Amino acid sequence: MKSRNLATISLAIMACGFLFTLFLPENLAVILLRGGFEAGLVGGIADWFAVTALFRHPLGLRIPHTSLLLKNRDKLIQSLISAMENELLNKESIENKLRKINIISLGAGMLTRFFSRKKARTEMLEQIKEFVLRLPVEQAVPYLQSAAAGYLREAELGVAADKIATSLMNDGKDIAALDYALEGISSWSGRPETRAMLGKIASEKLAEVKLGGLKGMAFQAFVGFVDADMLGEMLQGMVQSTIRDFKEEDSPYREEVIREIRVALFQLLSNEERISSLKDWALNELQGEPAAAFLQQQLEGLRVKAVALIEEDRVRGGRKLFWLYALLVRRIGKEQEWIQASEERIRGTLIAFVESNHYRIGQLVKENLDQMDDSSLVNMLEEKVGKDLQWIRVNGAVCGFVVGLVLTVIQMI
Protein backbone atom coordinates (compact mmCIF):
# COMPACT_ATOMS: atom_id res chain seq x y z
CA MET A 1 0.00 0.00 0.00
CA LYS A 2 1.32 3.44 -0.89
CA SER A 3 2.16 5.76 1.98
CA ARG A 4 -0.10 8.48 0.54
CA ASN A 5 -3.07 6.12 0.61
CA LEU A 6 -2.19 5.02 4.13
CA ALA A 7 -2.10 8.65 5.30
CA THR A 8 -5.48 9.34 3.69
CA ILE A 9 -6.94 6.19 5.25
CA SER A 10 -5.68 7.21 8.69
CA LEU A 11 -7.31 10.63 8.31
CA ALA A 12 -10.55 9.02 7.09
CA ILE A 13 -10.55 6.66 10.08
CA MET A 14 -10.23 9.59 12.47
CA ALA A 15 -13.05 11.49 10.71
CA CYS A 16 -15.36 8.49 10.57
CA GLY A 17 -14.59 7.59 14.18
CA PHE A 18 -15.35 11.10 15.34
CA LEU A 19 -18.66 11.22 13.42
CA PHE A 20 -19.61 7.75 14.63
CA THR A 21 -19.10 8.68 18.30
CA LEU A 22 -21.41 11.69 17.91
CA PHE A 23 -24.38 9.34 17.50
CA LEU A 24 -23.49 6.91 20.27
CA PRO A 25 -24.99 7.09 23.78
CA GLU A 26 -22.88 9.07 26.23
CA ASN A 27 -20.64 6.96 28.40
CA LEU A 28 -17.06 6.97 29.51
CA ALA A 29 -15.74 4.92 26.60
CA VAL A 30 -17.57 6.99 23.98
CA ILE A 31 -16.32 10.23 25.52
CA LEU A 32 -12.74 8.96 25.51
CA LEU A 33 -12.97 7.73 21.89
CA ARG A 34 -14.62 10.96 20.74
CA GLY A 35 -11.82 13.01 22.31
CA GLY A 36 -9.18 10.76 20.75
CA PHE A 37 -10.75 10.76 17.27
CA GLU A 38 -11.33 14.52 17.46
CA ALA A 39 -7.69 15.23 18.36
CA GLY A 40 -6.50 12.69 15.78
CA LEU A 41 -8.64 14.36 13.11
CA VAL A 42 -7.24 17.77 14.00
CA GLY A 43 -3.69 16.46 14.05
CA GLY A 44 -4.11 14.63 10.75
CA ILE A 45 -5.66 17.65 9.03
CA ALA A 46 -2.95 19.94 10.38
CA ASP A 47 -0.16 17.64 9.19
CA TRP A 48 -1.91 17.13 5.84
CA PHE A 49 -2.03 20.89 5.44
CA ALA A 50 1.63 21.24 6.42
CA VAL A 51 2.83 18.49 4.06
CA THR A 52 0.66 19.68 1.18
CA ALA A 53 1.78 23.28 1.69
CA LEU A 54 5.35 22.23 0.96
CA PHE A 55 4.52 21.18 -2.59
CA ARG A 56 1.36 23.04 -3.67
CA HIS A 57 -1.54 25.21 -2.52
CA PRO A 58 -3.90 23.10 -0.36
CA LEU A 59 -7.23 22.63 -2.14
CA GLY A 60 -5.98 25.04 -4.81
CA LEU A 61 -6.38 27.99 -2.39
CA ARG A 62 -3.57 30.52 -2.58
CA ILE A 63 -3.09 30.70 1.14
CA PRO A 64 0.01 32.66 2.22
CA HIS A 65 3.14 30.60 2.94
CA THR A 66 1.96 27.58 0.93
CA SER A 67 3.54 25.93 -2.14
CA LEU A 68 6.83 26.68 -0.46
CA LEU A 69 9.03 24.61 -2.77
CA LEU A 70 7.87 26.38 -5.93
CA LYS A 71 8.06 29.80 -4.33
CA ASN A 72 11.62 29.07 -3.33
CA ARG A 73 12.56 27.15 -6.47
CA ASP A 74 15.68 29.21 -7.18
CA LYS A 75 16.85 28.89 -3.59
CA LEU A 76 16.20 25.16 -3.70
CA ILE A 77 18.20 24.76 -6.91
CA GLN A 78 21.08 26.82 -5.54
CA SER A 79 21.00 24.75 -2.35
CA LEU A 80 21.16 21.53 -4.34
CA ILE A 81 24.04 22.88 -6.43
CA SER A 82 25.87 24.06 -3.34
CA ALA A 83 25.36 20.68 -1.66
CA MET A 84 26.64 18.85 -4.71
CA GLU A 85 29.67 21.09 -5.23
CA ASN A 86 30.68 21.77 -1.63
CA GLU A 87 29.55 18.74 0.35
CA LEU A 88 28.57 15.67 -1.65
CA LEU A 89 31.00 15.97 -4.60
CA ASN A 90 33.45 18.67 -3.57
CA LYS A 91 36.81 18.85 -5.30
CA GLU A 92 38.81 17.85 -2.25
CA SER A 93 36.89 14.62 -1.69
CA ILE A 94 37.17 13.65 -5.37
CA GLU A 95 40.90 14.41 -5.46
CA ASN A 96 41.51 12.50 -2.22
CA LYS A 97 39.64 9.53 -3.63
CA LEU A 98 41.68 9.65 -6.83
CA ARG A 99 44.94 9.73 -4.85
CA LYS A 100 43.98 6.52 -3.09
CA ILE A 101 43.22 4.63 -6.31
CA ASN A 102 45.93 2.61 -8.05
CA ILE A 103 44.62 3.34 -11.50
CA ILE A 104 46.91 1.04 -13.49
CA SER A 105 46.44 -1.86 -11.07
CA LEU A 106 42.69 -1.33 -11.14
CA GLY A 107 42.66 -1.22 -14.92
CA ALA A 108 44.90 -4.29 -15.16
CA GLY A 109 42.57 -6.20 -12.86
CA MET A 110 39.55 -5.30 -14.94
CA LEU A 111 41.34 -6.28 -18.14
CA THR A 112 42.49 -9.57 -16.62
CA ARG A 113 38.94 -10.46 -15.64
CA PHE A 114 37.85 -9.54 -19.15
CA PHE A 115 40.53 -11.58 -20.92
CA SER A 116 40.03 -14.57 -18.62
CA ARG A 117 36.58 -15.15 -20.15
CA LYS A 118 36.70 -17.27 -23.29
CA LYS A 119 33.53 -15.71 -24.68
CA ALA A 120 34.96 -12.21 -24.29
CA ARG A 121 38.17 -13.18 -26.09
CA THR A 122 36.35 -14.80 -29.01
CA GLU A 123 34.02 -11.81 -29.36
CA MET A 124 36.97 -9.44 -29.26
CA LEU A 125 38.80 -11.44 -31.94
CA GLU A 126 35.66 -11.43 -34.08
CA GLN A 127 35.51 -7.65 -33.81
CA ILE A 128 39.21 -7.36 -34.66
CA LYS A 129 38.72 -9.60 -37.70
CA GLU A 130 35.81 -7.49 -38.93
CA PHE A 131 37.91 -4.36 -38.44
CA VAL A 132 40.82 -5.83 -40.42
CA LEU A 133 38.49 -6.91 -43.23
CA ARG A 134 37.06 -3.40 -43.47
CA LEU A 135 40.45 -1.68 -43.60
CA PRO A 136 40.67 0.25 -46.90
CA VAL A 137 44.17 -0.91 -47.82
CA GLU A 138 43.86 0.61 -51.29
CA GLN A 139 43.56 4.03 -49.68
CA ALA A 140 46.76 3.45 -47.73
CA VAL A 141 48.83 2.83 -50.86
CA PRO A 142 49.17 6.51 -51.91
CA TYR A 143 50.19 7.46 -48.37
CA LEU A 144 52.81 4.71 -48.30
CA GLN A 145 54.14 5.80 -51.68
CA SER A 146 54.24 9.43 -50.59
CA ALA A 147 55.97 8.56 -47.30
CA ALA A 148 58.54 6.34 -49.00
CA ALA A 149 59.18 8.97 -51.71
CA GLY A 150 59.61 11.68 -49.10
CA TYR A 151 62.08 9.54 -47.17
CA LEU A 152 63.97 8.75 -50.36
CA ARG A 153 64.20 12.45 -51.33
CA GLU A 154 65.64 13.35 -47.94
CA ALA A 155 67.92 10.34 -47.69
CA GLU A 156 71.62 10.70 -48.49
CA LEU A 157 72.00 7.61 -50.60
CA GLY A 158 75.70 8.10 -51.17
CA VAL A 159 76.50 8.16 -47.46
CA ALA A 160 74.15 5.27 -46.72
CA ALA A 161 75.52 3.18 -49.60
CA ASP A 162 79.10 3.92 -48.52
CA LYS A 163 78.34 2.72 -44.97
CA ILE A 164 76.61 -0.38 -46.28
CA ALA A 165 79.46 -1.19 -48.68
CA THR A 166 82.07 -0.66 -45.95
CA SER A 167 80.16 -2.90 -43.56
CA LEU A 168 79.79 -5.61 -46.20
CA MET A 169 83.49 -5.49 -47.02
CA ASN A 170 84.46 -5.66 -43.36
CA ASP A 171 82.29 -8.76 -43.09
CA GLY A 172 83.92 -10.27 -46.21
CA LYS A 173 80.69 -10.21 -48.20
CA ASP A 174 82.48 -8.93 -51.34
CA ILE A 175 84.80 -11.93 -51.27
CA ALA A 176 81.83 -14.23 -50.71
CA ALA A 177 80.10 -12.61 -53.69
CA LEU A 178 83.17 -13.16 -55.86
CA ASP A 179 83.37 -16.82 -54.83
CA TYR A 180 79.68 -17.20 -55.57
CA ALA A 181 80.16 -15.68 -59.01
CA LEU A 182 83.19 -17.86 -59.71
CA GLU A 183 81.25 -20.94 -58.66
CA GLY A 184 78.46 -19.98 -61.02
CA ILE A 185 80.86 -19.39 -63.90
CA SER A 186 82.60 -22.67 -63.19
CA SER A 187 79.31 -24.54 -63.25
CA TRP A 188 78.29 -22.78 -66.46
CA SER A 189 81.58 -23.28 -68.25
CA GLY A 190 81.68 -26.98 -67.41
CA ARG A 191 78.52 -27.78 -69.35
CA PRO A 192 78.79 -29.58 -72.74
CA GLU A 193 76.58 -26.98 -74.40
CA THR A 194 78.91 -24.25 -73.16
CA ARG A 195 81.89 -26.09 -74.67
CA ALA A 196 80.07 -26.35 -77.99
CA MET A 197 79.13 -22.68 -77.88
CA LEU A 198 82.69 -21.58 -77.10
CA GLY A 199 84.05 -23.78 -79.90
CA LYS A 200 81.58 -22.40 -82.41
CA ILE A 201 82.28 -18.80 -81.46
CA ALA A 202 86.06 -19.37 -81.59
CA SER A 203 85.87 -21.09 -84.96
CA GLU A 204 83.80 -18.26 -86.44
CA LYS A 205 86.12 -15.58 -85.08
CA LEU A 206 89.27 -17.40 -86.27
CA ALA A 207 87.78 -17.61 -89.73
CA GLU A 208 87.44 -13.84 -89.76
CA VAL A 209 91.13 -13.24 -89.02
CA LYS A 210 93.15 -12.06 -92.10
CA LEU A 211 96.94 -12.46 -91.91
CA GLY A 212 99.50 -12.41 -94.73
CA GLY A 213 102.93 -13.93 -95.23
CA LEU A 214 104.34 -16.78 -93.23
CA LYS A 215 102.23 -15.90 -90.18
CA GLY A 216 99.13 -16.14 -92.28
CA MET A 217 100.16 -19.50 -93.71
CA ALA A 218 100.94 -20.84 -90.20
CA PHE A 219 97.69 -19.44 -88.85
CA GLN A 220 95.66 -20.97 -91.66
CA ALA A 221 97.40 -24.31 -91.07
CA PHE A 222 96.43 -24.14 -87.38
CA VAL A 223 92.84 -23.25 -88.21
CA GLY A 224 92.66 -26.11 -90.63
CA PHE A 225 94.11 -28.50 -88.05
CA VAL A 226 91.61 -27.77 -85.22
CA ASP A 227 87.85 -27.96 -85.44
CA ALA A 228 85.10 -26.38 -83.33
CA ASP A 229 85.06 -29.23 -80.82
CA MET A 230 88.79 -28.98 -80.20
CA LEU A 231 88.57 -25.21 -79.83
CA GLY A 232 85.64 -25.54 -77.40
CA GLU A 233 87.48 -28.08 -75.31
CA MET A 234 90.62 -25.89 -75.22
CA LEU A 235 88.68 -22.77 -74.21
CA GLN A 236 86.63 -24.67 -71.65
CA GLY A 237 89.81 -26.01 -70.07
CA MET A 238 91.37 -22.54 -69.96
CA VAL A 239 88.28 -21.05 -68.34
CA GLN A 240 88.11 -23.84 -65.77
CA SER A 241 91.84 -23.49 -65.00
CA THR A 242 91.55 -19.72 -64.66
CA ILE A 243 88.61 -20.07 -62.28
CA ARG A 244 90.56 -22.53 -60.14
CA ASP A 245 93.42 -20.04 -59.96
CA PHE A 246 91.01 -17.27 -58.90
CA LYS A 247 89.63 -19.51 -56.15
CA GLU A 248 93.05 -19.96 -54.56
CA GLU A 249 93.33 -17.55 -51.61
CA ASP A 250 97.05 -16.87 -52.24
CA SER A 251 96.49 -16.19 -55.94
CA PRO A 252 97.78 -12.72 -56.98
CA TYR A 253 95.07 -12.55 -59.62
CA ARG A 254 92.41 -13.07 -56.98
CA GLU A 255 93.72 -10.21 -54.83
CA GLU A 256 93.95 -7.95 -57.86
CA VAL A 257 90.36 -8.70 -58.91
CA ILE A 258 89.06 -8.08 -55.38
CA ARG A 259 90.97 -4.80 -55.21
CA GLU A 260 89.62 -3.68 -58.57
CA ILE A 261 86.09 -4.58 -57.54
CA ARG A 262 86.39 -2.50 -54.36
CA VAL A 263 87.89 0.46 -56.20
CA ALA A 264 85.18 0.34 -58.85
CA LEU A 265 82.46 0.08 -56.19
CA PHE A 266 83.68 3.10 -54.23
CA GLN A 267 84.15 5.08 -57.42
CA LEU A 268 80.53 4.33 -58.26
CA LEU A 269 79.34 5.32 -54.79
CA SER A 270 81.30 8.58 -54.89
CA ASN A 271 79.83 9.56 -58.25
CA GLU A 272 77.12 12.05 -57.21
CA GLU A 273 75.72 12.24 -60.70
CA ARG A 274 75.13 8.50 -60.82
CA ILE A 275 73.68 8.49 -57.29
CA SER A 276 71.34 11.33 -58.21
CA SER A 277 70.34 9.51 -61.36
CA LEU A 278 69.72 6.36 -59.35
CA LYS A 279 67.57 8.31 -56.86
CA ASP A 280 65.51 9.86 -59.66
CA TRP A 281 64.98 6.46 -61.20
CA ALA A 282 63.94 4.99 -57.84
CA LEU A 283 61.52 7.88 -57.24
CA ASN A 284 59.92 7.45 -60.64
CA GLU A 285 59.56 3.72 -60.13
CA LEU A 286 58.26 4.15 -56.59
CA GLN A 287 55.52 6.57 -57.62
CA GLY A 288 54.43 4.59 -60.66
CA GLU A 289 51.47 2.29 -61.13
CA PRO A 290 53.51 -0.95 -60.89
CA ALA A 291 54.80 0.08 -57.46
CA ALA A 292 51.26 0.96 -56.35
CA ALA A 293 49.98 -2.39 -57.55
CA PHE A 294 52.84 -4.17 -55.79
CA LEU A 295 52.19 -2.36 -52.50
CA GLN A 296 48.47 -3.08 -52.65
CA GLN A 297 49.18 -6.72 -53.38
CA GLN A 298 51.49 -6.93 -50.38
CA LEU A 299 48.96 -5.22 -48.12
CA GLU A 300 46.22 -7.56 -49.28
CA GLY A 301 48.51 -10.49 -48.58
CA LEU A 302 49.18 -9.19 -45.08
CA ARG A 303 45.45 -8.76 -44.53
CA VAL A 304 44.74 -12.35 -45.60
CA LYS A 305 47.45 -13.69 -43.29
CA ALA A 306 46.27 -11.54 -40.38
CA VAL A 307 42.64 -12.65 -40.82
CA ALA A 308 43.73 -16.29 -41.00
CA LEU A 309 45.75 -15.98 -37.78
CA ILE A 310 42.90 -14.18 -36.00
CA GLU A 311 40.34 -16.76 -37.10
CA GLU A 312 42.61 -19.62 -36.08
CA ASP A 313 43.02 -18.12 -32.60
CA ARG A 314 39.28 -17.39 -32.35
CA VAL A 315 38.47 -21.05 -33.05
CA ARG A 316 40.92 -22.03 -30.30
CA GLY A 317 39.26 -19.71 -27.81
CA GLY A 318 41.69 -16.79 -28.02
CA ARG A 319 44.63 -18.56 -26.37
CA LYS A 320 47.24 -16.56 -28.26
CA LEU A 321 45.43 -13.33 -27.46
CA PHE A 322 45.45 -14.17 -23.75
CA TRP A 323 49.09 -15.25 -23.99
CA LEU A 324 50.03 -11.93 -25.57
CA TYR A 325 48.10 -10.06 -22.89
CA ALA A 326 49.75 -12.06 -20.10
CA LEU A 327 53.17 -11.48 -21.66
CA LEU A 328 52.51 -7.76 -21.83
CA VAL A 329 51.30 -7.64 -18.22
CA ARG A 330 54.36 -9.53 -16.96
CA ARG A 331 56.66 -7.27 -18.94
CA ILE A 332 55.02 -4.12 -17.64
CA GLY A 333 54.93 -5.53 -14.11
CA LYS A 334 58.73 -5.53 -14.05
CA GLU A 335 58.84 -1.79 -14.75
CA GLN A 336 57.79 -0.52 -11.34
CA GLU A 337 59.37 2.90 -11.85
CA TRP A 338 57.49 3.32 -15.12
CA ILE A 339 54.25 2.19 -13.46
CA GLN A 340 54.67 4.69 -10.62
CA ALA A 341 55.47 7.49 -13.05
CA SER A 342 52.49 6.59 -15.21
CA GLU A 343 50.23 6.46 -12.15
CA GLU A 344 51.33 9.96 -11.19
CA ARG A 345 50.84 11.29 -14.70
CA ILE A 346 47.36 9.78 -15.03
CA ARG A 347 46.37 10.87 -11.54
CA GLY A 348 47.68 14.37 -12.18
CA THR A 349 45.74 14.55 -15.44
CA LEU A 350 42.53 13.41 -13.74
CA ILE A 351 42.96 15.83 -10.84
CA ALA A 352 43.64 18.69 -13.25
CA PHE A 353 40.53 17.69 -15.19
CA VAL A 354 38.45 17.67 -11.99
CA GLU A 355 39.80 21.06 -10.96
CA SER A 356 39.05 22.65 -14.33
CA ASN A 357 35.64 21.02 -14.82
CA HIS A 358 34.25 20.69 -11.29
CA TYR A 359 31.94 23.64 -11.83
CA ARG A 360 30.19 21.68 -14.57
CA ILE A 361 28.55 19.49 -11.92
CA GLY A 362 26.54 22.48 -10.70
CA GLN A 363 25.84 23.53 -14.27
CA LEU A 364 24.55 20.06 -15.12
CA VAL A 365 22.28 19.98 -12.06
CA LYS A 366 20.95 23.46 -12.83
CA GLU A 367 20.37 22.68 -16.52
CA ASN A 368 18.47 19.50 -15.70
CA LEU A 369 16.33 21.22 -13.07
CA ASP A 370 15.65 24.22 -15.30
CA GLN A 371 14.33 21.87 -17.98
CA MET A 372 11.66 20.58 -15.56
CA ASP A 373 8.39 22.45 -15.20
CA ASP A 374 6.81 23.07 -11.79
CA SER A 375 4.62 19.99 -11.96
CA SER A 376 7.50 17.70 -12.89
CA LEU A 377 9.71 19.15 -10.15
CA VAL A 378 7.00 18.68 -7.51
CA ASN A 379 6.31 15.12 -8.66
CA MET A 380 10.02 14.29 -8.55
CA LEU A 381 10.40 15.64 -5.02
CA GLU A 382 7.27 13.87 -3.86
CA GLU A 383 8.59 10.59 -5.26
CA LYS A 384 11.90 11.04 -3.48
CA VAL A 385 10.80 12.38 -0.09
CA GLY A 386 7.00 12.20 -0.20
CA LYS A 387 6.89 8.73 1.35
CA ASP A 388 8.53 9.92 4.56
CA LEU A 389 6.41 13.09 4.60
CA GLN A 390 3.21 11.06 4.29
CA TRP A 391 4.21 9.17 7.40
CA ILE A 392 4.18 12.53 9.16
CA ARG A 393 0.45 12.68 8.42
CA VAL A 394 -0.06 9.17 9.73
CA ASN A 395 1.96 9.90 12.86
CA GLY A 396 0.06 13.18 13.32
CA ALA A 397 -3.28 11.37 13.28
CA VAL A 398 -2.08 8.60 15.61
CA CYS A 399 -0.34 10.97 18.01
CA GLY A 400 -3.37 13.29 17.96
CA PHE A 401 -5.59 10.34 18.86
CA VAL A 402 -3.36 9.39 21.79
CA VAL A 403 -3.03 13.00 22.96
CA GLY A 404 -6.83 13.43 22.64
CA LEU A 405 -7.35 10.44 24.92
CA VAL A 406 -4.94 11.85 27.47
CA LEU A 407 -6.52 15.33 27.36
CA THR A 408 -10.04 13.86 27.69
CA VAL A 409 -8.96 11.89 30.73
CA ILE A 410 -7.43 15.05 32.25
CA GLN A 411 -10.66 17.00 31.58
CA MET A 412 -12.76 14.30 33.21
CA ILE A 413 -10.51 14.29 36.29
Side-chain angles (χ1 to χ4, degrees), residues 25-323:
E26 291 289 338
N27 57 50
L28 179 60
V30 171
I31 294 172
L32 287 174
L33 287 175
R34 184 186 300 147
F37 283 126
E38 181 180 7
L41 180 60
V42 173
I45 291 174
D47 287 339
W48 167 83
F49 183 89
V51 171
T52 304
L54 287 174
F55 300 101
R56 57 181 61 84
H57 298 292
L59 301 177
L61 302 175
R62 293 188 174 275
I63 303 173
H65 304 294
T66 59
S67 188
L68 299 177
L69 293 178
L70 295 181
K71 286 183 178 180
N72 296 277
R73 176 172 178 147
D74 292 338
K75 292 182 180 180
L76 174 64
I77 292 175
Q78 291 302 323
S79 298
L80 288 174
I81 293 173
S82 177
M84 293 290 291
E85 291 182 343
N86 301 319
E87 297 178 19
L88 302 177
L89 292 174
N90 59 73
K91 287 192 293 186
E92 291 74 14
S93 64
I94 297 175
E95 292 174 3
N96 291 334
K97 189 67 175 179
L98 287 174
R99 289 188 176 94
K100 295 178 182 179
I101 298 176
N102 294 323
I103 300 172
I104 293 181
S105 299
L106 180 63
M110 295 174 62
L111 284 174
T112 300
R113 287 192 295 273
F114 174 80
F115 279 99
S116 63
R117 300 197 301 269
K118 180 180 179 180
K119 183 179 179 180
R121 295 196 302 270
T122 54
E123 290 179 352
M124 185 176 182
L125 286 169
E126 184 66 28
Q127 294 297 323
I128 294 175
K129 185 180 77 172
E130 292 297 326
F131 174 76
V132 173
L133 288 173
R134 290 193 181 97
L135 283 176
V137 294
E138 66 280 357
Q139 296 181 12
V141 171
Y143 294 101
L144 291 176
Q145 286 182 290
S146 178
Y151 175 80
L152 188 59
R153 290 190 190 96
E154 299 296 329
E156 296 182 359
L157 294 184
V159 176
D162 185 84
K163 291 181 179 179
I164 294 173
T166 302
S167 176
L168 292 175
M169 290 179 185
N170 290 335
D171 294 340
K173 300 300 182 183
D174 55 338
I175 299 175
L178 176 61
D179 289 336
Y180 179 80
L182 291 174
E183 189 66 32
I185 296 173
S186 176
S187 176
W188 171 80
S189 62
R191 298 173 184 172
E193 58 269 22
T194 303
R195 181 173 65 248
M197 181 189 69
L198 292 174
K200 182 179 179 181
I201 293 173
S203 178
E204 292 176 353
K205 296 302 178 183
L206 290 176
E208 295 176 0
V209 176
K210 302 298 182 181
L211 293 175
L214 294 175
K215 290 182 179 180
M217 293 176 60
F219 181 77
Q220 291 299 325
F222 172 76
V223 171
F225 177 73
V226 296
D227 56 10
D229 291 337
M230 295 176 63
L231 288 173
E233 187 174 354
M234 292 171 58
L235 290 174
Q236 187 180 48
M238 286 188 290
V239 171
Q240 293 284 320
S241 176
T242 303
I243 291 174
R244 285 194 294 272
D245 291 341
F246 276 123
K247 287 183 177 181
E248 296 292 334
E249 294 186 359
D250 57 349
S251 171
Y253 304 112
R254 177 184 176 87
E255 293 295 330
E256 184 175 352
V257 169
I258 293 173
R259 184 168 55 252
E260 290 297 327
I261 291 174
R262 292 178 175 177
V263 170
L265 179 60
F266 280 109
Q267 286 178 345
L268 175 63
L269 296 178
S270 61
N271 191 326
E272 295 183 0
E273 183 178 351
R274 289 181 178 275
I275 295 296
S276 178
S277 176
L278 178 62
K279 180 185 288 189
D280 293 338
W281 171 82
L283 284 172
N284 291 332
E285 291 295 323
L286 184 60
Q287 295 175 324
E289 289 296 329
F294 173 79
L295 287 174
Q296 183 169 346
Q297 183 181 6
Q298 297 305 310
L299 290 175
E300 291 290 351
L302 288 175
R303 192 221 299 269
V304 171
K305 292 180 180 178
V307 169
L309 290 174
I310 293 171
E311 180 62 21
E312 179 184 357
D313 194 37
R314 190 190 68 81
V315 173
R316 298 178 61 187
R319 295 180 182 179
K320 290 183 179 179
L321 180 63
F322 186 78
W323 177 81

